[in-house]
Amino acid sequence: GDALGATVEFLTPNEIRHQHGEHRDITGGGWLRLKAGKVTDDTTMSLALGEAILASGGIEAKSAADAFDAWMRAKPVDIGNTVRRNLITYRKTRNPEAPASEHDAGNGAAMRLLPVALACYGRPAATAIAASRAQAHVTHHNELSDAACETLVFMVQDLMAGRDAGEVQRERADNLVRRYPVFAWNKKPIGNPSGYVVDTMQAVFQAFFGTNSFEECLIDVVNRGGDADTTGAIAGMLAGARYGREAIPKRWLKALDAQVLSQCEKQAAALIELASDAADTATAPT
């Protein structure tokens, strides 16, 4: 989703139609001038978080903050303003929790949270919520960001467990809207979604619940333009959990950077194994 959407990031739907027709393939380019198959900060921050989780054996704010700081020092291809600002603050204070701010309701914490969903699979809900907030608050300490992140974690886990998408919508997406009506997503089509986490979630929900395949979902969401690498990444989390690896078009897997593909596959397997081991330990007789 990230690699597909990066090509059309910051374009409007009309600009995409004019330049690409319907954008359907991983071709690189875009404002970052990426080589085909390369990814942006969405994926590289996710991988940094996943490595920190595996190294520490759990989701800890300090290890996540150190991982993100090392990631930024390595000069990533792209970095969001909120992420940069709060990581610079972390360098100065060594406090891994950014101050709560109504202005930090961007999608930067949501775009990278897949490792949390995998590492907490089968664990108590409270554990997943605490883990989600630990990594999120390093850069995005905001109530709307928290609500979006936690909803996505539980949606991914529900879909991995084989739950029906309609049931997941009612229990998770609709519940998010009941708690925070600003997330209402079924009133009008969302085009050109910004980096505001509400815009992001609305576009992702429309694409995810309004389509019936992995390919259709991702093509729908990235052709909305705007923050397309992030909407693509988040939609990819949900669609991957819903449809499985075999549903991913082979031409996309072939086009994806081989190192990135290998890292994602190996890390996902390791995180799920970590979750399984933790769940076994928690239920073992004493």
Side-chain angles (χ1 to χ4, degrees), residues 7-274:
T7 303
V8 294
E9 186 181 13
F10 300 140
L11 298 181
T12 67
N14 283 336
E15 288 170 335
I16 294 170
R17 282 192 290 271
H18 179 72
Q19 296 180 27
H20 302 276
E22 184 179 55
H23 179 54
R24 302 181 60 86
D25 293 296
I26 295 175
T27 57
W31 76 279
L32 290 170
R33 298 177 182 173
L34 297 177
K35 292 182 179 179
K38 292 292 185 180
V39 292
T40 73
D41 52 334
D42 300 70
T43 301
T44 55
M45 281 201 91
S46 296
L47 289 167
L49 176 59
E51 288 304 312
I53 292 171
L54 292 170
S56 63
I59 299 94
E60 301 169 354
K62 182 67 165 56
S63 60
D66 286 339
F68 296 151
D69 184 41
W71 167 84
M72 186 169 71
R73 290 179 188 278
K75 298 181 178 179
V77 66
D78 186 25
I79 183 170
N81 292 331
T82 302
V83 170
R84 184 194 304 276
R85 169 170 47 82
N86 282 321
L87 287 179
I88 289 173
T89 299
Y90 170 66
R91 288 181 184 176
K92 296 174 182 176
T93 65
R94 308 312 294 175
N95 181 355
E97 182 172 272
S101 172
E102 62 180 286
H103 302 294
D104 288 355
N107 56 24
M111 73 184 190
R112 66 186 187 228
L113 61 69
L114 182 59
V116 172
L118 299 181
C120 292
Y121 185 64
R123 306 297 309 282
T127 300
I129 290 171
S132 178
R133 294 185 183 187
Q135 75 85 20
H137 289 181
V138 174
T139 57
H140 291 71
H141 191 167
N142 178 275
E143 187 176 8
L144 293 177
S145 170
D146 285 347
C149 288
E150 290 152 25
T151 297
L152 289 169
V153 166
F154 292 130
M155 287 180 69
V156 167
Q157 293 178 344
D158 288 348
L159 293 161
M160 287 174 61
R163 297 186 69 182
D164 176 75
E167 185 180 358
V168 172
Q169 176 185 326
R170 290 188 295 273
E171 273 198 33
R172 304 301 186 186
D174 291 350
N175 185 52
L176 175 65
V177 175
R178 282 191 292 272
R179 292 164 54 215
Y180 299 94
V182 68
F183 283 102
W185 52 275
N186 56 0
K187 293 182 178 179
K188 62 179 181 179
I190 302 298
N192 200 29
S194 72
Y196 179 37
V197 72
V198 172
D199 284 357
T200 298
M201 295 292 283
Q202 289 173 328
V204 167
F205 284 169
Q206 286 185 358
F208 179 70
F209 292 117
T211 56
N212 294 298
S213 73
F214 184 95
E215 181 176 8
E216 191 182 353
C217 175
L218 266 61
I219 289 174
D220 179 309
V221 80
V222 301
N223 278 277
R224 296 166 186 257
D227 200 3
D229 59 332
T230 298
T231 57
I234 294 174
M237 297 179 202
L238 298 176
R242 179 180 181 181
Y243 299 109
R245 190 185 190 281
E246 293 305 311
I248 303 174
K250 290 182 172 56
R251 71 183 191 281
W252 288 356
L253 290 172
K254 186 176 180 180
L256 194 62
D257 180 86
Q259 183 176 359
V260 169
L261 177 60
S262 176
Q263 283 181 291
C264 289
E265 290 180 331
K266 290 177 180 178
Q267 188 180 100
L271 288 166
I272 292 170
E273 183 177 358
L274 178 68

